[in-house]
Amino acid sequence: MLTNVDSLVDRLRDGMRIAVPVDYAGVAMAFTRPMIARGLRDLDLVCVPTGGLQVDQLIGAGCVRSVETSAVSLGEAGGAPRFNAAVKEGRIRVIDATCPAVHAGLIAAQKGSPFFPMRGLIGTDVLRNRPDWKVIDNPFADQGDPVVLIPAIKPDVAIFHAPMADRAGNVWIGRRRELAPMAYAATDTYVTVDRIVDDNLLADETTAAGVLPALYVSGIAHVPQGAWPYGLWGVYPADTDALKRYAAAARTQEGFDAYMAATETRKEVRA
Amino acid sequence: MMSDAPALPSETLITAIAALLADVRHVAVGASSPMPAAGAMLRQALDEQTRHVRLSILGSVAHNFFTNGSGELFDCAGQGRIDAFFLGGGQIDGQANVNLVGAGDYPQSKVRWPGSFGSAYLYFVVPRVILFREEHSPRVMVEQVDFISAPGVSPPDVYRPGGPVALLTGKALFSFDKTRPGFTLVSVHPGETLETIRDATGFDFDHPDVVPQTPAPDAATLALLRGPVLDKLQETYPAFAENWRRDLAAQTQHC
C-alpha cells in the first residue's frame, strides 16, 4: 500500500478516465510531472468539480483528450492559459458541466445507481450540449415537472493529496468529504499524503469520522507538501506567487515548455 | 483619521450590496468575490444588535461552517437554506441570462472563460441572486449572451424558486422584473448619468423620469466598513484589504 509516486504512475495507462479535486481540496501536484514524464496520452479528466494548475499542465504537455469540468482557472492568478488555448484551437474536447452535476454523477456511482436526478439546468446551454444528460418528467408530480438525470460518473482512477494516512492505508480527509465519493466511484484511488502516522486512524473516534478507509485506497505515497503550489486545508496555504509565475510563463506554448523544462523541482521554483 | 475620508467608490458599492441583503438569514459568497464578501460582512455588522446573519464565504476558514465537502453548498441551497448568492458573468444580457463560458461560437470560443461553476443550479434555487459585475461596458452588458450558463427566467413548468433580483455594476444599480422580463435602472453611482449608462449598456432597460444617485454610506456605516468589516475581510482577501487601506491612506493625504 505504501509506495512512491513513480510506482503509482506506472499503473496509469493511456486513455484512462481520471478524477482530480478542486484546488482547495488537496490536489496531488506531486503526480503531475511524473505523469507528463511518462508520456501519458488521451487522458479523460474529470474535475471535481473544477480544475486548475494540474489540469492546465497536463493539457499543456499534451496528455489530455477531454476535460469534464464546471470550470478551469488558476483562481487569483487568473485564467488557465493552456486550457484556454487548447479549447480555442479545438485540441481538447471540453465537456462543460456545473458543480453539483459532477457531485451528482459521483454520488450515483457511490450508490451503485445508474443516475441521479437534479434540479436546475433546464434552459441552459450547458444542458443543451450534454446529450448524455436526459430530461424526464418527474413521475411523482401531479403535473408536468421536468427533471434532469445525470448518469453515474465512474472514473478509472481518482488521484488526490491528503494531510495524513496510517500504515494500514487509511487516509484522513476530514471535512473534505467530496474526496470520498471520488474514491467510492473510481476503480482505483491513489493518494499522496503530507505525513504517515504510526497509530491506526480508525482506533481513535475523533479521527475515525474523517477517514477514508483503506478499502477504497489502492496506493499511497508519502510526499510532504505534495499539493504545492496549492495549499492543504488546515496545514499550509496556497503559494499564490508561484501560481502567478506559472500563469505568466504559460501564456504561450513556448513559455510553458520552457517553464516545465526549467523548474524541475519544487525548491527550484521557490528560490 | 482614516474614517474621516469621504466614501471610496468601492465603499459605496459594498454599501449597496449590504442594502440588497436586507432581511436575509443566510448569504453565501462564491470564490474570488471580495466585494460581495465585504457587503455580506457589512450586512452582518449592521444587524448585529438585532439578529444574526449567517455567512458562508468560500475560500474562508473562519466564515465557512460546511463539513461535507464542496457539494454541501449546493445541497444547502437545494434545501432552501441559502437566501442570497452572487453571480458574475463574462456577459450578462437584458433577460438576465449569464454567460461564464466564452465569447463567440461554442465550443471553440473566441475567448474562453473558466466555466459555468455552480450557476446552472444556484440561479434556479437561491431566491435572491444578485448579479454583480464591476465592468459595465457594451461587451459585458450585451443584448444577448453567446452561451447561457444560467437563464434569467424559466417557463412556468420549470421548478424555479430562485433567480435574479438585481444587477449591480461599477456604474449603476438595476432591479430585475421577471414578469417582463427586464431590468429597471434604480440609481446611478456618482459621476454617472442616464446617458452614460445607456452608452455603456448593450441592452434596453426601463428607468424613472428622474434617476436618483446611489447613496454613499453614512458616517456610522463608514466606521463599520473601515473597522470590523475591513479587519474580517483580511483573512480571506488580504490583497483586496491591503489595496483598500492604501486607497484610504492616499485619499486622506489629498484632503
Side-chain angles (χ1 to χ4, degrees), chain A residues 229-241:
Chain A
Y230 279 127
L232 184 60
W233 73 95
V235 186
Y236 48 89
D239 184 347
T240 307
D241 287 342

Side-chain angles (χ1 to χ4, degrees), chain B residues 7-48:
Chain B
L8 299 165
S10 60
E11 291 172 331
T12 298
L13 281 180
I14 294 166
T15 303
I17 292 168
L20 291 167
L21 295 174
D23 306 323
V24 298
R25 299 160 305 166
H26 183 188
V27 51
V29 181
S32 310
S33 309
M35 280 211 239
M41 288 169 177
L42 176 59
R43 182 74 266 159
Q44 194 181 49
L46 286 165
D47 294 355
E48 202 181 11

Side-chain angles (χ1 to χ4, degrees), chain A residues 104-117:
Chain A
L106 293 171
I107 285 169
Q110 166 184 340
K111 307 263 180 223
S113 294
F115 59 81
F116 197 92

Side-chain angles (χ1 to χ4, degrees), chain A residues 186-267:
Chain A
T187 307
D188 286 296
T189 293
Y190 302 131
V191 185
T192 54
V193 293
D194 254 50
R195 59 198 177 97
I196 303 286
V197 295
D198 289 324
D199 293 335
N200 190 304
L201 290 164
L202 292 173
D204 180 346
E205 208 49 40
T206 312
T207 50
V211 163
L212 176 69
L215 167 65
Y216 306 102
V217 182
S218 305
I220 297 172
H222 180 204
V223 187
Q225 301 210 356
W228 184 90
Y230 279 127
L232 184 60
W233 73 95
V235 186
Y236 48 89
D239 184 347
T240 307
D241 287 342
L243 289 165
K244 284 182 178 160
R245 279 199 297 275
Y246 170 79
R251 271 189 210 127
T252 62
Q253 185 65 42
E254 296 71 32
F256 170 81
D257 293 340
Y259 176 94
M260 296 303 280
T263 53
E264 281 302 318
T265 69
R266 188 166 73 227
K267 285 200 172 60

Side-chain angles (χ1 to χ4, degrees), chain B residues 21-160:
Chain B
L21 295 174
D23 306 323
V24 298
R25 299 160 305 166
H26 183 188
V27 51
V29 181
S32 310
S33 309
M35 280 211 239
M41 288 169 177
L42 176 59
R43 182 74 266 159
Q44 194 181 49
L46 286 165
D47 294 355
E48 202 181 11
Q49 303 303 320
T50 53
R51 70 198 191 100
H52 178 65
V53 178
R54 218 181 268 283
L55 304 185
S56 295
I57 295 179
L58 292 181
S60 163
V61 176
H63 303 285
N64 186 337
F65 50 79
F66 292 135
T67 57
N68 201 16
S70 62
E72 188 175 356
L73 166 72
F74 307 104
D75 295 348
C76 195
Q79 295 152 17
R81 295 180 203 271
I82 293 177
D83 302 318
F85 188 72
F86 300 88
L87 274 183
Q91 293 177 334
I92 299 170
D93 71 21
Q95 314 277 298
N97 297 311
V98 298
N99 173 5
L100 294 114
V101 162
D105 290 339
Y106 182 82
Q108 267 179 266
S109 315
K110 266 199 326 262
V111 182
R112 171 73 201 201
W113 300 314
S116 300
F117 291 97
S119 65
Y121 180 73
L122 293 174
Y123 214 24
F124 288 80
V125 297
V126 176
R128 200 182 303 188
V129 178
I130 295 157
L131 298 172
F132 178 71
R133 176 77 205 248
E134 258 193 290
E135 180 179 339
H136 186 150
S137 66
R139 69 170 195 163
V140 176
M141 304 303 160
V142 297
E143 195 176 354
Q144 198 173 6
V145 295
D146 294 336
F147 183 99
I148 299 176
S149 287
V153 295
S154 297
D157 66 327
V158 173
Y159 180 81
R160 186 89 201 244

